[in-house]
């Protein structure tokens, strides 16, 4: 089976898995906003504790969350590094031309580091415990108000779910084409930048044509099954709020209150 | 045929805009309610085009006396959706007709389009999935299913909308023999249970042999039609069109070639076996 995991959903079972995706999506967005309210050590400790509780509640291996941070680790370190050496103020411990190591710099670097990591943690909690399809449903729900300004939300939702459904199919297709081209001598892994870019052509062209043919077949099948736009369509998949989602949102509102209380002005 | 015809096609022609030769050339036939009809013919003979004409995916050429009628409804712009309610098509490629992200979603797609209320949809979908023996896969994603399973889901999606006619547009051509047999068995059961009319477009001669009626197409023309026995006994004609004949007809033709006297009344595999056994015991 395909190794690709869009949004990297990891199967598991804990209360977070049973929560409504809309609640989780909202909570994630809110959390990212709330984090910027923290501006002193106490509030950062609170934010850290809150996100670690959320991570622990997934009952997943810590390695998964480390995998979430890993691709961004250089960006995080680089940003923290800049904060560390280019912030002026407070007690200066060490200075050389424009580089300075000050107490402000150290706290700022630590703050930035924490901010980055908790945001990644919380969004990983979201993507890891929610199926891509559920995320699409949640996005559709969030977009619903846009119907007033005539944004075709239902069509966008259908497009999203079809796109998600075809990601693994296209991925398998890509592997098949790659293997077929390899079996007649294509080399995808060697050579300089230009050679490699050229090697992709025998992969991309058939892939495009296949996708277009699939689209035509799919639209024929959809039409013959009675699809005629949004009019009069009902939905098979429905999301239901439960008490867990109240807990979820209450949890983040508690975080908001605590951050407002401990925020220094 | 004075009997109850569910599909009537009279003098229908169709040309694709980019070609100068008609894909369907003045075809007329009728399909009896509750029967199983096979359409055979080599690639590009216009078999699939016929189906797309019947459910309005393609519009036939303007002609005065042409007519497509399904279950008493004449096909035109206003009735095309009513006709699609009556005709369910299973297409060739199992991957390219799977709309939903999971099995249940896909089966529900046709019902969603018809605005069926949610509670009823849940019930109907579960029944349809059960009917094709896919209950344990209800929440599986298409990437985790085999081709045969996907085709079973496609059949479930059609059963859910309760059509009168089920069309297999080379639905088994991408499957292995086992998957094919399973699909055909399910379709046969469904046909008996709901009194469906089945039209199967196929290259597989044994599948065609399951039918009551066979239509043979060549270059957009209807060459011959009739019961499986009358059509498949025309071995020479079929060979000339590049088509296969059922295994039993091949054996019979070979034996006749070897100047063995087989009475004309022998026209099924069973009878041939009986005849050969009797012949053996006499010697």
């Amino acid at each position: 089976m395909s190794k690709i995991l869009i949004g990297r959903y990891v199967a598991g079972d804990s209360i977070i898995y049973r929560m409504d995706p809309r609640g989780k999506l909202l909570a994630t967005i809110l959390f990212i906003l709330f984090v910027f309210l923290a501006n002193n050590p106490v509030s950062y400790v609170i934010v850290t504790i809150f996100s670690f509780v959320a991570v622990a509640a997934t009952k997943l291996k810590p390695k998964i969350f480390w995998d979430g941070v890993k691709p961004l680790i250089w960006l995080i370190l680089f940003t923290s590094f800049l904060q560390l050496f280019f912030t002026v103020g407070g007690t200066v411990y060490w200075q050389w031309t424009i580089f300075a190591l000050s107490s402000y710099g150290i706290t700022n670097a630590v703050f930035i580091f924490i901010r980055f990591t908790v945001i990644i943690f919380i969004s990983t909690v979201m993507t890891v415990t929610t199926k891509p399809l559920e995320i699409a449903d949640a996005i559709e729900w969030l977009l619903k108000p846009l119907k007033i300004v005539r944004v075709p939300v239902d069509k966008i939702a259908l497009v999203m779910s079809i796109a998600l459904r075809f990601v693994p199919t296209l991925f398998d297709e890509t592997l098949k084409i790659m293997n077929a081209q390899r079996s007649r001598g294509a080399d995808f892994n060697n050579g300089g930048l230009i050679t490699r870019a050229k090697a992709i052509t025998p992969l991309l062209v058939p892939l495009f044509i296949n996708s277009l043919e699939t689209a035509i077949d799919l639209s024929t099948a959809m039409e013959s099954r009675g699809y005629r736009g949004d009019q009069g369509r009902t939905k098979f998949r429905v999301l239901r709020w439960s008490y867990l989602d109240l807990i979820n949102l209450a949890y983040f509102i508690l975080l908001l209150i605590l951050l407002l209380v401990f925020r220094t002005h | 045929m004075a009997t109850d015809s569910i599909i009537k096609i009279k003098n229908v022609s169709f040309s694709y805009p980019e070609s100068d030769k008609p894909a369907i050339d003045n075809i007329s036939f009728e399909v009896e309610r509750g029967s199983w009809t096979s359409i055979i013919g080599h690639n590009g003979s216009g078999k699939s085009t016929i189906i797309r004409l019947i459910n309005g995916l393609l519009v036939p050429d303007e002609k005065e006396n042409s007519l497509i009628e399904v279950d008493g409804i004449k096909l035109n712009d206003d009735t095309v959706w009513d006709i699609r309610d009556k005709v369910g098509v299973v297409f060739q490629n199992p991957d390219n007709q799977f709309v939903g992200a999971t099995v249940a979603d896909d089966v529900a797609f046709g019902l969603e389009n018809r605005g069926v209320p949610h509670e009823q949809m849940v019930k109907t979908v579960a029944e349809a999935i059960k009917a094709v023996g896919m209950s344990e896969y209800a929440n599986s994603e298409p990437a985790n299913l085999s081709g045969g399973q996907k085709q079973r889901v496609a059949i479930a999606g059609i059963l859910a909308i309760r059509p009168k006619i089920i069309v297999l547009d080379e639905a088994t051509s991408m499957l292995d023999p086992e998957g094919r047999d399973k699909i055909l068995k399910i379709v046969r059961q469904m046909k008996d249970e709901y009194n469906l009319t089945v039209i199967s477009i196929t290259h597989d001669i044994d599948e065609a042999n399951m039918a009551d009626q066979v239509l043979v197409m060549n270059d957009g023309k209807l060459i011959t039609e009739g019961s499986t026995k009358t059509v498949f006994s025309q071995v020479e004609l079929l060979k000339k069109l590049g088509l296969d004949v059922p295994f039993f007809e091949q054996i019979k033709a070979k034996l006749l070639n070897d100047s063995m006297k087989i009475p004309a009344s022998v026209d099924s595999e069973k009878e041939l076996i009986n005849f050969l056994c009797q012949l053996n015991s006499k010697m």
Side-chain angles (χ1 to χ4, degrees):
Chain A
M1 259 320 86
S2 56
K3 285 253 164 54
I4 199 168
L5 289 166
I6 7 125
R8 297 177 359 111
Y9 172 77
V10 180
D13 185 37
S14 61
I15 44 168
I16 298 212
Y17 280 91
R18 289 191 287 275
M19 283 176 183
D20 192 294
R22 292 171 293 182
K24 283 192 265 187
L25 185 63
L26 264 185
T28 310
I29 295 170
L30 291 180
F31 180 82
I32 292 169
L33 296 177
F34 294 166
V35 163
F36 291 95
L37 288 174
N39 62 355
N40 57 29
V42 184
S43 49
Y44 270 101
V45 168
I46 294 171
V47 166
T48 317
I49 291 172
F50 265 73
S51 56
F52 271 94
V53 169
V55 166
T58 60
K59 293 193 191 164
L60 290 168
K61 287 193 208 100
K63 192 185 170 290
I64 291 167
F65 295 93
W66 165 238
D67 285 345
V69 176
K70 213 159 49 180
L72 291 169
I73 193 76
W74 290 111
L75 180 70
I76 299 173
L77 288 180
F78 179 67
T79 323
S80 306
F81 177 83
L82 289 185
Q83 289 288 335
L84 192 59
F85 289 107
F86 289 103
T87 316
V88 231
T91 337
V92 179
Y93 302 110
W94 174 82
Q95 191 156 22
W96 177 70
T97 60
I98 52 164
F99 296 101
L101 194 61
S102 65
S103 60
Y104 273 29
I106 292 173
T107 43
N108 260 352
V110 172
F111 284 177
I112 287 281
F113 186 81
I114 294 175
R115 196 183 287 171
F116 259 115
T117 353
V118 292
I119 288 178
I120 294 170
F121 274 4
I122 291 294
S123 37
T124 311
V125 168
M126 157 93 194
T127 53
V128 148
T129 62
T130 319
K131 288 185 180 146
L133 195 63
E134 292 177 321
I135 297 180
D137 285 341
I139 295 173
E140 183 195 355
W141 177 79
L142 271 188
L143 290 181
K144 257 194 188 137
L146 292 180
K147 264 187 181 170
I148 302 165
V149 283
R150 299 207 176 172
V151 176
V153 176
D154 303 292
K155 278 185 188 150
I156 294 174
L158 189 73
V159 168
M160 270 199 293
S161 78
I162 289 177
L164 285 174
R165 173 245 169 285
F166 272 97
V167 167
T169 312
L170 282 179
F171 189 76
D172 285 352
E173 197 79 21
T174 314
L175 284 184
K176 254 186 244 163
I177 297 172
M178 269 176 109
N179 285 338
Q181 300 290 17
R182 272 198 195 116
S183 75
R184 54 199 75 171
D187 184 1
F188 294 107
N189 298 326
N190 287 311
L193 202 61
I194 295 170
T195 331
R196 279 205 205 184
K198 275 186 184 158
I200 289 181
T201 321
L203 174 67
L204 277 189
V205 173
L207 198 61
F208 267 118
I209 294 171
N210 271 357
S211 319
L212 289 176
E213 271 170 9
T214 305
I216 293 169
D217 278 1
L218 187 72
S219 64
T220 314
M222 283 171 69
E223 226 184 304
S224 82
R225 290 173 70 180
Y227 181 75
R228 39 172 153 175
D230 315 322
Q231 61 201 74
R233 276 197 105 222
T234 43
K235 284 210 73 165
F236 176 66
R237 260 198 334 272
V238 283
L239 304 169
R240 287 208 174 81
W241 296 100
S242 72
Y243 72 97
L244 283 173
D245 305 299
L246 283 180
I247 297 175
N248 181 16
L249 289 176
Y251 180 75
F252 283 97
I253 287 168
L254 178 70
L255 172 67
L256 173 67
I257 295 168
L258 284 177
L259 286 180
L260 287 175
V261 169
F262 287 100
R263 189 177 153 84
T264 40
H265 295 283
Chain B
M1 229 188 279
T3 42
D4 185 13
S5 309
I6 193 159
I7 297 178
K8 281 183 201 164
I9 291 185
K10 258 185 213 145
N11 306 325
V12 169
S13 298
F14 174 80
S15 324
Y16 284 101
E18 62 268 32
S19 84
D20 45 353
K21 232 177 83 197
I24 296 287
D25 193 359
N26 203 21
I27 276 187
S28 308
F29 67 90
E30 292 188 7
V31 173
E32 199 184 323
R33 190 183 297 273
S35 69
W36 182 308
T37 302
S38 290
I39 305 180
I40 59 171
H42 64 75
N43 288 339
S45 59
K47 307 184 297 285
S48 297
T49 311
I50 289 190
I51 295 317
R52 285 165 172 73
L53 288 169
I54 290 176
N55 75 357
L57 289 169
L58 297 173
V59 183
D61 296 346
E62 282 296 328
K63 264 173 86 184
E64 259 181 41
N65 52 355
S66 73
L67 168 85
I68 297 177
E69 198 179 285
V70 178
D71 200 21
I73 303 175
K74 202 168 175 284
L75 176 71
N76 59 38
D77 282 351
D78 303 323
T79 58
V80 63
W81 297 106
D82 298 329
I83 285 178
R84 279 181 201 168
D85 275 352
K86 293 179 190 292
V87 185
V89 188
V90 183
F91 291 97
Q92 177 176 22
N93 189 328
D95 249 320
N96 298 359
Q97 56 181 314
F98 207 109
V99 189
T102 67
V103 167
D105 281 315
D106 188 65
V107 173
F109 181 73
L111 298 169
E112 290 180 324
N113 291 336
R114 288 165 179 79
V116 175
H118 184 257
E119 291 74 32
Q120 198 189 327
M121 198 145 51
V122 172
K123 218 179 108 225
T124 320
V125 166
E127 281 169 8
I129 294 177
K130 200 171 159 227
V132 297
M134 291 289 290
S135 294
E136 53 190 307
Y137 296 99
N139 291 313
S140 299
E141 288 166 24
N144 302 324
L145 299 177
S146 74
Q149 288 171 329
K150 277 179 230 172
Q151 289 300 60
R152 272 146 75 187
V153 174
I155 294 177
I158 282 159
L159 286 178
I161 58 167
R162 301 269 138 82
K164 297 217 162 131
I165 302 161
I166 179 162
V167 179
L168 306 177
D169 185 357
E170 294 186 39
T172 60
S173 66
M174 283 186 159
L175 305 182
D176 58 11
E178 201 185 318
R180 192 197 67 196
D181 291 345
K182 242 182 203 157
I183 298 287
L184 292 176
K185 215 172 125 195
I186 290 170
V187 173
R188 185 141 280 258
Q189 275 171 12
M190 295 306 132
K191 177 182 175 295
D192 295 341
E193 199 168 325
Y194 301 108
N195 190 28
L196 298 174
T197 308
V198 178
I199 298 180
S200 116
I201 296 175
T202 182
H203 283 290
D204 185 84
I205 223 68
D206 294 312
E207 188 181 329
N209 208 15
M210 292 173 73
D212 309 311
Q213 184 189 206
V214 181
L215 308 177
V216 182
M217 304 264 313
N218 193 40
D219 288 334
K221 290 193 184 69
L222 194 58
I223 300 295
T224 178
E225 62 174 313
S227 68
T228 38
K229 277 179 191 174
T230 46
V231 171
F232 286 131
S233 54
Q234 301 166 317
V235 179
E236 284 311 308
L237 173 75
L238 293 177
K239 281 210 171 130
K240 214 175 72 196
L241 297 176
L243 295 169
D244 252 345
V245 285
F247 182 63
F248 131 80
E249 294 283 2
Q250 290 176 32
I251 297 274
K252 196 174 142 189
K254 283 234 162 83
L255 289 174
L256 285 169
N257 247 354
D258 291 347
S259 61
M260 188 181 240
K261 287 192 182 68
I262 299 173
S265 62
V266 175
D267 51 7
S268 75
E269 198 174 315
K270 221 179 186 173
E271 281 174 52
L272 185 67
I273 292 171
N274 279 342
F275 172 76
L276 290 175
C277 289
Q278 278 169 15
L279 207 65
N280 196 27
S281 67
K282 272 179 208 157
M283 287 203 276

